[in-house]
Amino acid sequence: MPDEEGLGVDASGVKTVIEVTSPGRRNLQRDRARKRREYARAGIPVYVIVDDFDDEGAVLVLTSPDPKKAKYADEHRVPYGADAVIPEGPAKGFAVGKAIVAS
């Protein structure tokens, strides 16, 4: 659903974002910190970060956004090799596991 200016997406319609981190210090900062704050501020219920650059790789599942604090209240980090299960929203029960992160 476009935003009111027709330039982007109305965040109220976004229920889940799955992000794959990009290499490079600036990109990692954007993916891990800036987007995380902005998605929480927008009230997006589930934010999943697939991060090849977190040690040996990890999946971070963030839920329960607090828009006023621009933070997610619940955070679960799962190292590659284990299943990171999305706990709510339209992708509830979907597992980001070895078959997805191995390449």
Side-chain angles (χ1 to χ4, degrees), residues 51-70:
D51 193 343
D52 280 345
F53 308 98
D54 178 351
D55 291 328
E56 299 294 316
V59 178
L60 188 63
V61 180
L62 303 159
T63 57
S64 302
D66 181 339
K68 290 181 181 179
K69 293 182 180 178

Side-chain angles (χ1 to χ4, degrees), residues 33-55:
R34 286 191 357 230
K35 287 183 180 180
R36 179 179 179 154
R37 281 191 308 272
E38 293 308 316
Y39 292 154
R41 186 174 284 126
I44 294 173
V46 180
Y47 181 34
V48 179
I49 303 171
V50 179
D51 193 343
D52 280 345
F53 308 98
D54 178 351
D55 291 328

Side-chain angles (χ1 to χ4, degrees), residues 1-102:
M1 172 180 214
D3 69 2
E4 56 203 31
E5 297 171 352
L7 299 174
V9 175
D10 179 1
S12 66
V14 177
K15 303 300 179 200
T16 302
V17 172
I18 299 177
E19 183 85 45
V20 178
T21 58
S22 300
R25 188 170 148 176
R26 288 181 58 200
N27 293 333
L28 287 172
Q29 175 65 18
R30 178 196 65 219
D31 294 344
R32 291 176 178 162
R34 286 191 357 230
K35 287 183 180 180
R36 179 179 179 154
R37 281 191 308 272
E38 293 308 316
Y39 292 154
R41 186 174 284 126
I44 294 173
V46 180
Y47 181 34
V48 179
I49 303 171
V50 179
D51 193 343
D52 280 345
F53 308 98
D54 178 351
D55 291 328
E56 299 294 316
V59 178
L60 188 63
V61 180
L62 303 159
T63 57
S64 302
D66 181 339
K68 290 181 181 179
K69 293 182 180 178
K71 295 175 89 172
Y72 283 91
D74 294 318
E75 176 178 319
H76 300 280
R77 182 187 173 278
V78 179
Y80 281 5
D83 286 349
V85 179
I86 298 175
E88 60 186 76
K92 180 179 180 176
F94 181 80
V96 180
K98 188 174 182 180
I100 294 172
V101 299

